[in-house]
Amino acid sequence: MKNNLDDLTDDELDASYEAYKALIEAGLTKEQALSRTGLTAQIVKDFQAEEDELDLKADFKEVWDEDSEDEGDWKESSDMDEDSDWEETSTDEDYGLNEGGYDEDKY
């Protein structure tokens, strides 16, 4: 591994971070993993923040996509178009009402 982190390419930094994560999963301490990969704690912190942001964006996109599909179904099932007015289709009898109010015999 190169001694100077400034000389590493993005691909080499990515590979070092992946190696760091593998070492942590294998049971090494953070200090040991940092020492073996040559990364600094700040670089690891930056990678983790980037991963968290990407995860959040992916979660948001997934939820947005699910909501978008549901919205399309709602629009298609609507009986009312933008230019029409709501029409009264029910009567008082439909709700168990008579002239005096609630019809107890019906319900």
Side-chain angles (χ1 to χ4, degrees), residues 66-81:
E66 290 173 5
D67 287 346
S68 296
E69 292 171 10
D70 292 342
E71 183 179 317
D73 294 340
W74 177 79
K75 285 182 180 176
E76 291 173 9
S77 68
S78 176
D79 293 333
M80 184 176 159
D81 62 7

Side-chain angles (χ1 to χ4, degrees), residues 81-98:
D81 62 7
E82 293 177 14
D83 296 330
S84 70
D85 292 327
W86 286 103
E87 294 181 22
E88 182 66 37
T89 57
S90 61
T91 65
D92 287 342
E93 290 178 5
D94 292 337
Y95 296 106
L97 298 176
N98 58 23

Side-chain angles (χ1 to χ4, degrees), residues 6-30:
D6 294 334
D7 294 337
L8 294 177
T9 66
D10 287 341
D11 290 338
E12 291 171 324
L13 276 173
D14 289 341
S16 293
Y17 179 63
E18 292 301 319
Y20 169 84
K21 291 191 312 184
L23 291 170
I24 294 294
E25 286 181 20
L28 272 66
T29 65
K30 290 181 181 182

